[in-house]
Amino acid sequence: MTAAAVLRALHHAPGAGGGPLVLPGPWDATSARAFADAGFPALATPSAGVSASLGYADGEAPAAEMFAAVARIARAVDVPVSADVEDGYGLAPGELVGRLLEAGAAGCNLEDSDRRTGLLKEPAEQADFLAAVRAEAGAALVVNARVDTFLKGDADPAPAIARGRLYAAAGADCLFPILAPPALLAGLGEAVGLPVNALARPGGPGPRELGRLGAARVTFGGGLHARAAAGAAEMAAELAAGRWGGDA
């Protein structure tokens, strides 16, 4: 099986312990190896974490640097890697797919907010874009279609469902209604007919609970990188105070 076929199949099979597919978000080769060595069957890069590791705010990393980072991550592990490439960086579908495959990605995350303006794209426009990506990629990429209506403050699930149905018809493999209330996950998946990706956040339901509520796939956004960065800051404070390891 190709890496994309493996990743696609994982969306429809129980994860570890019967829970959802849990995809940690590596930001560099070292973190990718750590997650793969821990037994996770696939990984999903977060744009926020990768951008931060490159010295940029979320949404500001140049496309070339993002693809290069994805390539380093994919090269470091033997499991499928899905890449968060935001809204596609304005690239034509053929170029976008080519650069993803060249980087070694088995899937991609594509959001329906315009990276430049922050505004939601027209649903039909985004569906056409996803359909063109699918036509260029064939089965070589697992397309996770992010729906940003909840992120923009619209608590009504109807717009997310309408967009999701268009994206499913365009060939998306998975729906990512980012920041959707967990209680809506099952209904969204049933209405759209796709596996649902849920975002696990500190203080919120964990992966197993999100799976019980209807998530087939769980990702973490930039949360894991933020946790690692906090650990680095703690270590820096210890060093600045003249302490190291077990030193008093």
Side-chain angles (χ1 to χ4, degrees):
M1 295 177 71
T2 65
V6 171
L7 179 59
R8 188 173 286 111
L10 287 170
H11 286 69
H12 301 277
L21 171 63
V22 177
L23 297 175
W27 53 92
D28 61 11
T30 299
S31 57
R33 289 194 188 103
F35 293 134
D37 289 348
F40 290 97
L43 307 174
T45 69
S47 66
V50 174
S51 294
S53 74
L54 296 172
Y56 298 98
D58 189 19
E60 294 185 3
E65 293 194 42
M66 184 64 73
F67 285 114
V70 171
R72 289 191 292 272
I73 288 167
R75 188 168 58 242
V77 297
D78 294 325
V79 299
V81 174
S82 181
D84 182 350
V85 288
E86 304 180 51
D87 69 347
Y89 304 113
L91 299 174
E95 183 178 0
L96 175 62
V97 169
R99 294 179 76 169
L100 281 163
L101 295 178
E102 183 180 10
C108 63
N109 196 78
L110 289 167
E111 61 195 51
D112 60 2
S113 290
D114 188 301
R115 183 172 181 253
R116 298 161 299 177
T117 66
L119 300 175
L120 283 168
K121 297 180 181 180
E122 289 298 320
E125 173 192 355
Q126 180 69 0
D128 287 346
F129 176 65
L130 293 173
V133 169
R134 171 55 68 215
E136 293 286 349
L141 289 173
V142 174
V143 177
N144 187 33
R146 200 178 97 175
V147 176
D148 286 2
T149 54
F150 295 103
L151 178 66
K152 302 301 182 184
D154 190 346
D156 183 356
I161 290 171
R163 285 174 177 267
R165 287 173 172 165
L166 286 173
Y167 303 165
D173 295 284
C174 187
L175 181 74
F176 184 13
I178 189 170
L179 297 190
L184 297 181
L185 294 174
L188 289 168
E190 291 170 4
V192 173
L194 288 178
V196 173
N197 186 147
L199 178 69
R201 297 194 293 165
R208 184 170 295 279
E209 178 64 9
L210 289 170
R212 190 187 69 78
L213 292 169
R217 158 176 168 161
V218 175
T219 53
F220 301 85
L224 301 181
H225 175 268
R227 181 172 170 181
E234 182 180 348
M235 180 173 60
E238 291 179 358
L239 292 172
R243 299 193 303 274
W244 169 249
D247 294 346

